[in-house]
Amino acid sequence: CHGGELCPDVFVYPVTSSARPEKSYRHVIYIDPRDAFGDGRHPTTVMCARMLCDRLASPECAQSAPVSLLDAGTGTGVLAVLASKLGIPHVDALDIDADAVRMARSNAERNGCKGVSFYHTDIAGFRGKTRYDVVVANLLTEVLQRTMGVLANLVSERGVIIASGIGDRWEREMRQCFRDHNLAVDAMETMDGWCAFMVSRDVVR
């Protein structure tokens, strides 16, 4: 496993690899992929990372950059680390798997991240101290459907939810789930049979 590009200026590098990136990147994320989900190269993770990068580069964020992000289902912590490296000062990350939380915390320390907190909890029972400018949820489709109400309550009025982990055959069902929770689809990507969505509060309804 030799790592890979998450965004044009971000490379994820497994510490178990002896290879080095072939070009220079603004950010290199060092990840120990053992004992948790993936090394950051899974299509669902890549799409979440790209949507986050796109969001931070968008005109909406030009005047008011996001100051808080929730990473629900953090796994190895790669998206939480990415958010910190991209300048989001307050990052909370959670996972239902205790080993994943332990590894994610270690990866954040390995990358010198500040302002990142990790929680061993189920998203359904999580009560954040704030509403987040960005909520990233890379979870199974069934979990997303079951917890979308919680996720919608955790995002700020002008914030976005980036949701992935969705097999493309569930696209229609997820679009309906967003509508049911008064969320509008702002963007969608597909990769290798997976979908990712960026959604926000539907102010029209």
Side-chain angles (χ1 to χ4, degrees):
C1 177
H2 302 307
E5 187 176 278
L6 282 183
C7 304
D9 58 353
V10 180
F11 188 91
V12 61
Y13 176 72
V15 296
T16 51
S17 173
S18 60
R20 289 291 185 270
E22 295 181 357
K23 68 176 186 178
S24 61
Y25 289 84
R26 182 180 179 186
H27 302 293
V28 176
I29 297 174
Y30 297 93
I31 293 292
D32 186 341
R34 295 172 294 184
D35 302 326
F37 177 63
D39 58 7
R41 298 192 304 162
H42 192 274
T44 61
T45 307
V46 171
M47 288 189 291
C48 285
R50 291 177 179 173
M51 283 189 165
L52 177 58
C53 291
D54 289 346
R55 175 65 179 176
L56 295 180
S58 68
E60 292 85 353
C61 294
Q63 300 298 323
S64 179
V67 298
S68 61
L69 178 141
L70 175 66
D71 180 14
T74 192
T76 53
V78 61
L79 294 173
V81 171
L82 173 63
S84 178
K85 283 184 172 287
L86 292 177
I88 298 180
H90 175 200
V91 179
D92 287 341
L94 59 90
D95 204 288
I96 197 171
D97 188 305
D99 288 336
V101 172
R102 175 181 55 80
M103 185 61 72
R105 184 178 290 114
S106 176
N107 283 326
E109 293 171 355
R110 178 177 288 108
N111 285 275
C113 295
K114 307 295 183 183
V116 183
S117 299
F118 292 91
Y119 302 89
H120 174 214
T121 184
D122 188 327
I123 182 61
F126 181 71
R127 299 293 180 265
K129 297 177 181 178
T130 184
R131 285 194 170 185
Y132 299 89
D133 298 314
V134 181
V135 172
V136 180
N138 189 10
L139 302 165
L140 296 174
T141 303
E142 183 274 331
V143 178
L144 285 170
Q145 292 173 329
R146 176 166 48 85
T147 62
M148 191 54 60
V150 176
L151 297 170
N153 285 332
L154 287 168
V155 70
S156 64
E157 183 177 352
R158 297 188 178 182
V160 297
I161 299 173
I162 297 171
S164 193
I166 305 158
D168 56 10
R169 66 186 178 125
W170 302 110
E171 176 187 346
R172 180 177 298 180
E173 286 83 352
M174 280 308 305
R175 287 183 178 274
Q176 183 61 53
C177 179
F178 297 138
R179 287 192 293 269
D180 290 344
H181 291 90
N182 200 28
L183 297 168
V185 175
D186 299 325
M188 175 192 166
E189 289 190 22
T190 60
M191 181 184 294
D192 297 341
W194 297 94
C195 299
F197 294 88
M198 183 185 296
V199 301
S200 60
R201 295 183 186 278
D202 190 347
V203 296
V204 176
R205 293 176 57 179

